[in-house]
Amino acid sequence: MNFGGVDESVVTREEFPLEKAREVLKNEVIAVIGYGVQGPGQSLNLRDNGFTVIVGQRKGGKTWDKAIADGWVPGETLFEIEEACKKATIIQYLLSDAAQIEVWPTIKPLLTKGKALYFSHGFGITYKERTGIIAPSDVDVILVAPKGSGTSLRRMFLEGRGLNSSFAVFQDATGRARERAVALGIGVGSGYLFETDFKREVFSDLTGERGTLMGAIQGILSAQYEVLRENGHSPSEAFNETVEELTQSLMPLFAENGMDWMYANCSTTAQRGALDWMTPFHDATKPVFQKLYDEVASGNEAQRSIDSNSKSDYREKLEEELKALRESEMWRTGAVVRKLRPENS
């Protein structure tokens, strides 16, 4: 398929329908290991689409209870991690990157010949010298990475839509790795699938998360909010002009038909200002994005994540940082603004 003049390999639901995916995986038992970020959405979508799915999770924790609340039955479709892996022909390794490193010694002996090891992030395999995640040579190693959170994947599935995903094959031991990956991609509810490899997936993913998806957007929003506040604008005015109009008015237009269409549906004053200022913002931020990409490509960013996530007090420190973000004036203002939206009145 041609994207902006460049040909890419993609798979659509029309050419690989759900019925075909069910046929490809009809003799497979899919074990979803981990019930945190991606696990619930992927497992529930697969189950609702008619695949044989079980969940592997540590017993007794909040996520075990969440799995039960979602309809997974202990001893029938919900098992301890080791038991689930023994029963599975496809192991969907959806633990966090840090947890994947920790649990790998348990998983590896259970990857017997012909099984498939499935990831939704290329981190563990791409940085295998750092993570120690090296799969046996007689199993398929595949990837399907939904381009969004597990919550979004599930919500869009229930709305009859799909979240686009990338897919990749790192190791094809059975000759069926690609069709297994594509079938699973269709099964979890992808809108369409575009082909990549593990390294490109993790490089783009880490850059995107730290860039426009999360890091850059928070940095830009807070910078504009601060400038408005420092120049005498009220919290409500600063938040509405910085965040509310962006998320509630402009982004839906952007998502519907693209940035050019969004521009066309704004005032001529807004259009002129946007066209005049987009180049200075581009020129100011591109060096930051290049530095970010270089840090990802070198492995430095991965090592920082591994080092910080392996500390015993990691979660406590993370919560402190998130609390500071949550309790900043901008986001406390946001909580009030959201409550005042008509649908919440």
Side-chain angles (χ1 to χ4, degrees):
M1 188 172 292
N2 190 275
F3 290 84
V6 178
D7 288 328
E8 284 190 42
S9 173
V10 302
V11 180
T12 67
R13 295 180 184 185
E14 287 71 28
E15 60 191 288
F16 204 109
L18 183 58
E19 293 74 18
K20 183 176 179 179
R22 291 193 189 111
E23 179 64 24
V24 168
L25 301 178
K26 65 181 179 181
N27 297 319
E28 306 270 20
V29 176
I30 304 162
V32 175
I33 307 303
Y35 210 73
V37 178
Q38 282 289 334
Q42 293 202 32
S43 61
L44 292 170
N45 290 1
L46 283 165
R47 184 179 71 183
D48 289 355
N49 271 333
F51 297 89
T52 302
V53 189
I54 59 177
V55 170
Q57 182 59 41
R58 289 193 181 99
K59 190 173 184 178
K62 290 182 180 180
T63 47
W64 177 272
D65 293 338
K66 174 174 169 49
I68 292 173
D70 286 344
W72 303 100
V73 181
E76 295 181 15
T77 55
L78 176 60
F79 303 91
E80 292 272 10
I81 290 174
E82 188 170 354
E83 184 66 21
C85 288
K86 289 178 181 177
K87 293 177 178 294
T89 59
I90 297 173
I91 296 173
Q92 290 194 315
Y93 206 30
L94 300 183
L95 296 166
S96 69
D97 294 327
Q100 285 184 13
I101 296 170
E102 179 187 347
V103 177
W104 180 245
T106 300
I107 300 292
K108 187 172 182 177
L110 304 174
L111 284 165
T112 51
K113 183 178 181 180
K115 289 191 176 186
L117 177 62
Y118 166 114
F119 294 87
S120 283
H121 189 23
F123 191 99
I125 292 292
T126 298
Y127 302 114
K128 57 184 180 294
E129 293 81 7
R130 301 170 188 263
T131 65
I133 298 176
I134 301 173
S137 60
D138 56 0
V139 301
D140 292 341
V141 181
I142 57 179
L143 174 145
V144 173
K147 296 298 105 180
S149 70
T151 301
S152 299
L153 182 73
R154 181 62 176 167
R155 181 185 297 127
M156 292 176 74
F157 176 85
L158 293 174
E159 293 172 351
R161 300 188 293 147
L163 189 64
N164 300 331
S165 303
S166 60
F167 77 99
V169 174
F170 179 78
Q171 185 168 283
D172 184 5
T174 66
R176 298 181 54 239
R178 191 178 192 277
E179 69 171 2
R180 276 171 140 178
V182 173
L184 287 161
I186 297 297
V188 301
S190 302
Y192 76 86
L193 294 152
F194 59 94
E195 194 163 8
T196 187
D197 59 43
F198 274 61
K199 181 181 289 187
R200 283 184 292 165
E201 190 285 327
V202 75
F203 283 14
S204 62
D205 186 79
L206 292 181
T207 300
E209 288 173 349
R210 285 145 179 78
T212 58
L213 302 178
M214 296 174 71
I217 192 67
Q218 168 62 21
I220 291 170
L221 294 178
S222 60
Q224 178 173 301
Y225 180 88
E226 289 165 12
V227 166
L228 290 172
R229 289 288 289 124
E230 289 161 6
N231 283 276
H233 299 269
S234 70
S236 182
E237 185 168 56
F239 187 86
N240 273 279
E241 291 296 341
T242 300
V243 179
E244 193 75 352
E245 188 171 353
L246 172 72
T247 59
Q248 301 303 300
S249 176
L250 298 183
M251 285 299 104
L253 296 178
F254 182 14
E256 187 175 345
N257 278 313
M259 182 70 78
D260 54 336
W261 193 77
M262 191 239 315
Y263 276 26
N265 282 274
C266 293
S267 70
T268 54
T269 301
Q271 292 170 1
R272 181 69 267 146
L275 292 169
D276 289 345
W277 279 91
M278 68 180 184
T279 299
F281 276 110
H282 169 274
D283 293 349
T285 59
K286 188 172 180 181
V288 181
F289 281 106
Q290 187 60 59
K291 180 179 179 181
L292 167 57
Y293 190 87
D294 292 344
E295 286 293 283
V296 170
S298 70
N300 291 340
E301 193 64 26
Q303 193 61 52
R304 276 192 287 271
S305 294
I306 293 169
D307 291 344
S308 63
N309 293 352
S310 61
K311 293 177 180 176
S312 59
D313 61 349
Y314 164 69
R315 292 196 177 278
E316 290 80 3
K317 288 188 174 180
L318 176 64
E319 180 52 36
E320 288 177 11
E321 292 180 271
L322 292 173
K323 182 180 179 183
L325 183 65
R326 185 168 59 248
E327 294 183 354
S328 67
E329 184 190 273
M330 184 172 75
W331 292 116
R332 284 189 288 116
T333 299
V336 177
V337 171
R338 287 189 291 275
K339 287 179 182 177
L340 294 174
R341 289 176 187 162
E343 66 266 24
N344 295 325
S345 300

